[in-house]
């Protein structure tokens, strides 16, 4: 784990690894009260790092604090890493608020995603060496920190010659897009996919991966003053069509399908009426995959879509996919290799990002929580 000071509690499944927080609290009274009790988890280690810590759930701007945290000693199968960059994702915010499907035991360090450089390896480490770049294999690992000592098996290497921001944002959105395009329908060049939230991180990754495979994308976004500008940006990265939400019920969608086949796959990151509209345009037997719910409204499936079109309604969570494949890392490795190849070819770029120093975390958190934010905040260590 990036932060071996807490266990990730899978509350939705009633499964929880042993927490060390209680033991830490007991030890805290034996030390100077001005020292964060996180340091006691590192034994007598004198080496420290900076980390964004929260002890209670709530408003991230109020409960997250920058603190000094001691590092544990390097074990034989551990690696010492320097975190280079870590984004602020919606799931990170939800974890701090206490509303996500998995929640770390408190106190905890924020951040589920990021890229780090290996500084030192334990005597029995075989797959990594100093200088390698690594990303987490799982969520809930606490990436908002400058350094970490973690087991070799908790990370996976990525090329260190790809852009820093691409590496830092590789493990969640591109992987989500890749799996949804690969696992639900047999898509061939010339086929179509329709998606809402097309300007999101996942949406932009879908556009680019689909374009690399010769698949058409019909991209739905909310109307806004800068619609034309945003549409042009999405088309520049490979979007076949960009339309407004309200166009899904107008004549122009029928005109579009005269030149573009109806989609086999719909990707829903919004929910509510937007999801229902996507369903209306699927091919018979097509699939709608829900991976997010920005509108906070339920997905409503018309009876006619089930009876007369036999549509399939599925859900996807990349964290669960990673855990389902943790016993055999070949699928994860193959996916990362293909994504990194696209990055090197210039066919997959990170979404617009604002790089922020760790000390400016308050501003970064505030910006990340703005609705429909156009850029992703990335903490650079």
């Amino acid at each position: 784990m990036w932060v071996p000071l807490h266990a990730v509690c899978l509350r939705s499944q009633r499964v929880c690894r042993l927490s060390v927080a209680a033991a830490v609290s007991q030890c805290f009274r034996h030390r100077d009260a001005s020292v964060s009790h996180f340091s006691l988890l590192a034994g007598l280690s004198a080496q420290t790092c900076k980390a964004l810590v929260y002890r209670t759930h709530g408003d991230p701007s109020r409960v997250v604090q920058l603190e000094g945290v001691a590092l544990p000693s390097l074990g034989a199968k551990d690696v010492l890493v320097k975190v280079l960059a870590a984004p602020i994702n919606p799931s990170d915010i939800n974890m701090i608020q206490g509303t996500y499907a998995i929640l770390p035991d408190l106190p905890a360090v924020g951040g589920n995603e990021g890229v780090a450089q290996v500084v030192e390896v334990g005597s029995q480490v075989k797959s990594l060496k100093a200088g390698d770049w690594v990303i987490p294999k799982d969520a809930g690992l606490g990436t908002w920190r400058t350094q970490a000592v973690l087991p070799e098996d908790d990370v996976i290497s990525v090329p260190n010659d790809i852009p820093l921001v691409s590496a830092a944002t590789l493990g969640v959105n591109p992987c989500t897009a890749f799996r949804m395009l690969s696992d639900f329908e047999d898509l061939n060049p010339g086929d179509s996919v329709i998606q809402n939230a097309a300007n999101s991180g996942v949406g932009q990754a879908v556009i680019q991966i689909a374009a690399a495979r010769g698949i058409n994308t019909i991209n739905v976004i909310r109307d806004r003053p800068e619609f034309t500008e945003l549409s042009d940006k999405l088309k520049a990265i490979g979007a076949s069509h960009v339309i407004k939400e309200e166009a899904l019920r107008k004549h122009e969608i029928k005109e579009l399908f005269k030149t573009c086949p109806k989609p086999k796959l719909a990707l829903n990151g919004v929910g509510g009426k937007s999801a229902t509209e996507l369903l209306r345009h699927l091919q018979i037997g097509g699939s709608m995959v829900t991976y997010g719910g920005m509108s906070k409204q339920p997905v409503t499936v018309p009876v006619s879509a089930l009876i007369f079109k036999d549509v399939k309604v599925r859900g996807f969570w990349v964290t669960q996919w990673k855990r389902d494949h943790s016993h055999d890392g070949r699928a994860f490795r193959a996916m990362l290799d293909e994504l990194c190849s696209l990055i090197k070819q210039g066919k997959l770029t990170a979404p617009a990002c604002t790089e922020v120093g760790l000390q400016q975390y308050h501003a970064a958190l505030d910006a990340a929580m703005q609705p429909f934010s156009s850029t992703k905040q990335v903490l650079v260590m």
Side-chain angles (χ1 to χ4, degrees):
M1 297 173 66
W2 290 83
V3 186
L5 51 85
H6 66 260
V8 175
C9 183
L10 307 184
R11 299 183 180 179
S12 62
Q13 301 177 33
R14 302 293 184 184
V15 177
C16 185
R17 296 200 291 271
L18 180 64
S19 170
V20 296
V24 173
S25 297
Q26 286 183 340
C27 293
F28 181 48
R29 56 191 171 87
H30 298 296
R31 297 291 295 269
D32 190 311
S34 65
V35 179
S36 167
H37 63 254
F38 279 74
S39 64
L40 301 174
L41 289 167
L44 299 177
S45 171
Q47 188 174 4
T48 62
C49 71
K50 292 291 186 180
L52 294 179
V53 178
Y54 59 102
R55 288 179 169 75
T56 62
H57 295 300
D59 181 351
S61 64
R62 293 178 178 271
V63 300
V64 174
Q65 299 294 328
L66 182 61
E67 299 185 9
V69 176
L71 294 170
S73 301
L74 185 71
K77 296 183 178 180
D78 295 337
V79 293
L80 170 65
V81 301
K82 170 181 167 51
V83 181
L84 303 176
I88 301 176
N89 289 320
S91 59
D92 304 324
I93 300 297
N94 294 154
M95 272 191 176
I96 298 168
Q97 293 169 331
T99 60
Y100 200 57
I102 57 172
L103 298 174
D105 288 338
L106 301 178
V109 172
N112 290 295
E113 187 181 27
V115 61
Q117 184 175 45
V118 176
V119 176
E120 185 180 353
V121 301
S123 59
Q124 297 180 28
V125 171
K126 304 297 183 184
S127 64
L128 299 169
K129 63 183 184 304
D132 286 349
W133 281 11
V134 293
I135 64 174
K137 285 184 177 179
D138 201 355
L141 304 183
T143 56
W144 296 350
R145 53 183 296 162
T146 55
Q147 286 183 297
V149 173
L150 53 138
E152 172 188 14
D153 290 341
D154 282 356
V155 295
I156 188 168
S157 63
V158 296
N160 59 9
D161 58 352
I162 61 176
L164 179 66
V165 171
S166 292
T169 58
L170 179 61
V172 177
N173 291 341
C175 290
T176 297
F178 185 100
R179 296 264 55 101
M180 292 194 301
L181 288 170
S182 303
D183 295 349
F184 294 92
E185 290 289 339
D186 183 17
L187 299 173
N188 299 302
D191 286 340
S192 297
V193 172
I194 190 168
Q195 65 168 340
N196 54 26
N199 58 314
S200 67
V202 171
Q204 292 182 52
V206 165
I207 289 169
Q208 295 175 86
I209 296 168
R213 298 180 179 183
I215 298 167
N216 299 302
T217 54
I218 303 165
N219 301 281
V220 183
I221 58 177
R222 295 176 305 114
D223 194 11
R224 62 196 73 199
E226 67 276 16
F227 175 85
T228 300
E229 178 184 356
L230 179 55
S231 175
D232 290 343
K233 287 182 178 179
L234 296 181
K235 289 179 179 178
I237 63 173
S240 308
H241 308 277
V242 181
I243 61 176
K244 301 174 184 177
E245 287 271 4
E246 53 267 32
L248 289 172
R249 276 195 170 273
K250 294 185 177 179
H251 181 71
E252 60 190 277
I253 193 71
K254 296 181 179 179
E255 292 297 313
L256 187 153
F257 288 134
K258 291 180 180 179
T259 58
C260 176
K262 282 204 165 188
K264 289 183 177 179
L265 179 67
L267 304 178
N268 168 43
V270 178
K273 293 181 180 179
S274 178
T276 305
E277 291 301 318
L278 295 187
L279 272 172
R280 295 180 62 247
H281 300 293
L282 276 177
Q283 287 186 18
I284 293 175
S287 296
M288 183 176 78
V289 181
T290 293
Y291 66 92
M294 290 169 55
S295 71
K296 299 182 179 180
Q297 297 296 316
V299 172
T300 302
V301 182
V303 171
S304 59
L306 295 173
I307 296 175
F308 303 119
K309 297 183 69 174
D310 191 26
V311 297
K312 300 179 285 291
V313 182
R314 303 288 302 277
F316 181 76
W317 184 31
V318 72
T319 296
Q320 189 61 52
W321 183 92
K322 291 176 181 178
R323 292 177 177 178
D324 290 344
H325 293 80
S326 61
H327 62 285
D328 181 358
R330 287 177 294 182
F332 193 12
R333 177 77 271 166
M335 174 172 61
L336 290 181
D337 287 346
E338 186 170 340
L339 289 171
C340 289
S341 176
L342 291 176
I343 291 170
K344 290 181 179 181
Q345 296 174 55
K347 296 180 179 180
L348 177 62
T349 58
C353 294
T354 300
E355 298 182 20
V356 183
L358 192 62
Q359 297 284 348
Q360 285 72 52
Y361 70 95
H362 274 302
L365 287 170
D366 288 343
M369 294 179 65
Q370 297 303 311
F372 308 110
S373 176
S374 59
T375 63
K376 183 179 292 292
Q377 303 295 304
V378 178
L379 299 169
V380 178
M381 316 307 173

